[in-house]
Amino acid sequence: MAVTNLTPELRGVLKLDEAMSKHTSWRVGGTADKYYEPADIKDLAVYLEQLPEGEPVIMVGLGSNLLVRDRGIRGSVICPTGMLDGFAILEGQILRVEAGVPCAIVAKRCAKQGFTELEFLAGIPGTVGGALAMNAGAFGGETWSNVVKVETLDRQGIFHLRDREQYLVGYRSVIGPMVGLEEEWFVAAHFSLSVGDGEAGLSKIKQLLLKRSETQPMGVPSCGSVFRNPEGDYAARLIESCGLKGFKIGNAQVSEKHANFIINLGNAKAIDIEQVIITVAEKVKQQHGIQLESEVRIVGDE
Ligand SMILES: Cc1cc2nc3c(=O)[nH]c(=O)nc-3n(C[C@H](O)[C@H](O)[C@H](O)COP(=O)(O)OP(=O)(O)OC[C@H]3O[C@@H](n4cnc5c(N)ncnc54)[C@H](O)[C@@H]3O)c2cc1C
């Protein structure tokens, strides 16, 4: 990785040939040609605006739902984590929080300030930007249930304040006014909050985290649940019933603890993980006639 000089109007950090394995929770992936950490929203707008036409751009958060292929990513990867960090309670119990803030921090700060409904975010190891893109959810809560507006930047660096109604939101799926969201990125969310009991909120967070640690493999690299649950069933149940717990290619393994998790046993390659995803989906299709769909975003050169 080399840190390069930027034009004077840019204030962020640009790294060249940055190993994406450092920025994904699976700890795999090749290098990104350019990896940019913007200083703030204005700086991100300037970066986007000055990019050469046609250069591919991907925005990432904490890489906790991302499989970066071994050959890496061409163009620019932009990571606002920790940089776009604004957090403010506005009038009317509206929380404005920027895309780079980790979900766990949002959950805890809201509970501490006596607001409820975002406790479920505590165990989601991503950022607000990633949670908006994925409509991340857990234990009955979903990110977009409380969103009233979002702030976005487009490819030209133009800022938009968009209403919730401009998005088609479903289970782990968000379709924006620009097809597929690829050319418009979230920089902040406005959540409506309800007044709650701070102590009760913090204790709910504790319980939810405990529940996770009982059912999910903790402390090993993974991307959480790999497949969406099909209508009326659970991907984990289907995978387990095919005898795939413990199934392994290279160092990528279907978790023994939770069959919808694929874990990196150490030095797995992205190709191993991708092959496990493909094989699991094929076996479930053969045995149950159900086509599982991956929840994980797979990016980079094949
Ligand atoms: C142990 C573990 C447990 C998990 N549990 C859950 C769970 O309970 N529920 C759940 O829903 N998920 C869960 N996940 C998956 C993951 O944490 C979520 O999908 C999370 O929302 C991803 O956020 P991120 O910041 O890491 O996004 P990334 O993985 O970096 O990116 C995910 C996608 O969002 C896009 N994106 C990221 N930021 C932006 C932005 N600012 N604007 C536009 N697009 C953007 C990326 O391009 C990519 O397509 C889990 C993952 C792990 C490792």
Side-chain angles (χ1 to χ4, degrees):
M1 177 272 292
V3 178
T4 192
N5 287 331
L6 289 163
T7 51
E9 64 270 29
L10 284 168
R11 292 169 288 115
V13 179
L14 178 65
K15 297 169 181 172
L16 303 180
D17 299 322
E18 175 73 354
M20 287 302 295
S21 54
K22 290 197 281 185
H23 304 287
T24 61
S25 58
W26 254 322
R27 300 278 170 259
V28 301
T31 55
D33 287 351
K34 292 174 171 179
Y35 185 88
Y36 190 62
E37 295 164 326
D40 52 33
I41 293 177
K42 269 192 192 154
D43 181 62
L44 175 54
V46 176
Y47 184 78
L48 287 167
E49 198 233 321
Q50 57 82 57
L51 280 178
E53 207 185 316
E55 177 169 321
V57 176
I58 172 170
M59 186 88 69
V60 301
L62 280 160
S64 63
N65 206 43
L66 206 60
L67 179 60
V68 178
R69 293 195 172 106
D70 300 307
R71 290 196 178 151
I73 303 178
R74 307 290 71 82
S76 276
V77 172
I78 299 172
C79 182
T81 307
M83 310 295 273
L84 269 56
D85 61 355
F87 183 105
I89 309 280
L90 311 178
E91 256 179 62
Q93 286 166 214
I94 299 293
L95 165 68
R96 178 187 178 274
V97 60
E98 292 186 355
V101 178
C103 294
I105 291 182
V106 176
K108 283 200 187 123
R109 284 188 69 175
C110 285
K112 275 189 186 156
Q113 295 189 32
F115 294 107
T116 186
E117 289 184 19
L118 295 182
E119 292 90 343
F120 74 92
L121 285 175
I124 296 177
T127 56
V128 168
L132 287 172
M134 298 304 306
N135 190 22
F139 304 113
E142 270 191 347
T143 304
W144 279 78
S145 301
N146 290 65
V147 169
V148 287
K149 284 187 193 299
V150 288
E151 297 173 22
T152 67
L153 282 179
D154 67 22
R155 174 77 196 215
Q156 284 69 45
I158 297 167
F159 179 87
H160 304 264
L161 179 63
R162 294 201 179 276
D163 289 328
R164 156 78 178 78
E165 290 69 34
Q166 289 180 268
Y167 293 83
L168 195 62
V169 177
Y171 167 56
R172 305 291 177 273
S173 145
V174 181
I175 299 170
M178 312 285 285
V179 177
L181 291 176
E182 273 84 4
E183 296 294 299
E184 194 171 307
W185 298 277
F186 298 112
V187 292
H190 296 207
F191 292 101
S192 71
L193 300 172
S194 301
V195 174
D197 169 345
E199 281 305 310
L202 289 171
S203 114
K204 184 169 172 193
I205 287 175
K206 251 193 196 164
Q207 281 167 27
L208 295 182
L209 293 177
L210 184 68
K211 240 189 214 173
R212 270 180 193 272
S213 66
E214 284 165 3
T215 54
Q216 301 179 356
M218 307 300 281
V220 273
S222 82
C223 242
S225 290
V226 172
F227 296 100
R228 294 185 166 89
N229 287 321
E231 187 96 26
D233 211 331
Y234 291 97
R237 190 197 72 78
L238 294 165
I239 298 165
E240 190 171 349
S241 72
C242 293
L244 286 165
K245 268 190 167 179
F247 171 76
K248 207 163 81 159
I249 294 179
N251 267 334
Q253 184 186 47
V254 176
S255 163
E256 300 271 7
K257 193 166 178 184
H258 191 309
N260 201 11
F261 277 54
I262 296 173
I263 57 174
N264 177 358
L265 295 172
N267 301 319
K269 297 263 172 239
I271 186 74
D272 302 333
I273 296 173
E274 199 168 351
Q275 287 305 318
V276 173
I277 294 174
I278 292 168
T279 310
V280 166
E282 278 173 1
K283 296 235 157 115
V284 169
K285 175 83 177 154
Q286 276 163 18
Q287 285 208 22
H288 296 283
I290 294 173
Q291 184 64 58
L292 289 181
E293 278 175 42
S294 171
E295 193 175 300
V296 166
R297 301 285 174 91
I298 302 176
V299 296
D301 285 357
E302 291 197 44

